[in-house]
Structures are given as structure tokens and as C-alpha cells.
Amino acid sequence: QVQLVESGGGLVQPGDSLTLSCAASGGTFTHYAIGWFRQAPGKEREFVVDIGWLGRSNHFTDSVKGRFAISRDNTKRTVTLQMNSLQPRDTAVYYCAARRGGSYSVARDYDAWGQGTQVTVSS
């Protein structure tokens, strides 16, 4: 079973950029697609973006298309989420998660989760 640790969260101003990282240990990293979810206070956890095990397939939720980018380095066992033009609505705890099958946007289809990293966008 893979274990995941997120890093890179913080407090930024609207329009700024931030890079989140997800580091994996254990398991066979290339057996897993990796997704990012986020959860704002008082709201349900929502899908943000995912990337397939080869890095060739990904999906974005509409609200981040054109602003966020995702990549993975299977040698380093990391996934990077580049977030640009951040807005207050992007404020949330961001989680990376790993799945071997199922649907990319369904949280219960993911097998392992990180502890989350806080992203706050505020002036």
C-alpha cells in the first residue's frame, strides 16, 4: 500500500501561484493514478485534478482549467500540482490520493490519502 505526504501549502494573495507536492512511499507507485482533492470549511471534499500512472491522462474540474497543471515523476515518486492565478475560492485543505481503479472523481475509489496541506488565498 502506498503512503502519501503533501507539502507546499501556505498563505498567498489573489493572483499568486503556489506549488504543491505529493511524495509517495511504499507500494508500486506506477500502479496508481494520483488525484488531488480539496475541502473548504463547511463543504464536502471535491475533486480537483488527477493524473494517470504514465502521466498522459488527466482530468480537471472546470473551476481550475487553465490555471492548474499537474505532473508526475515516477523516478522520484512525486506528483506536483502547479496552481496559478489563485483566488479566494481556492482556499481549502488540499489532499493527494492514490487509486488503482474506479472513477477519477470519486473519493471513495481512492485507496490511500495524504494528511492534507492548507492553502489560503487572501489579501
Side-chain angles (χ1 to χ4, degrees), residues 6 30 47 50 54 64 74 77 82 90 92 94 102 104 112 120:
E6 304 93 337
T30 52
F47 169 78
D50 84 318
L54 273 179
V64 307
N74 287 335
R77 300 169 63 94
Q82 176 66 41
D90 297 314
Y94 283 71
Y104 64 86
T120 302

Side-chain angles (χ1 to χ4, degrees), residues 31-106:
H31 285 180
Y32 295 91
I34 302 296
W36 285 92
F37 288 73
R38 64 188 180 186
Q39 188 166 19
K43 295 187 177 181
E44 293 187 355
R45 191 170 299 189
E46 65 167 348
F47 169 78
V48 178
V49 60
D50 84 318
I51 187 166
W53 69 276
L54 273 179
R56 296 175 183 171
S57 174
N58 50 50
H59 309 86
F60 294 84
T61 194
D62 287 346
S63 63
V64 307
K65 286 180 180 177
R67 300 190 298 124
F68 289 14
I70 188 171
S71 61
R72 69 187 289 164
D73 185 329
N74 287 335
T75 299
K76 296 181 179 179
R77 300 169 63 94
T78 59
V79 172
T80 299
L81 178 62
Q82 176 66 41
M83 305 185 295
N84 301 317
S85 301
L86 283 163
Q87 301 300 320
R89 62 180 176 172
D90 297 314
T91 295
V93 177
Y94 283 71
Y95 299 88
C96 67
R99 64 178 178 85
R100 296 193 64 170
S103 173
Y104 64 86
S105 63
V106 178

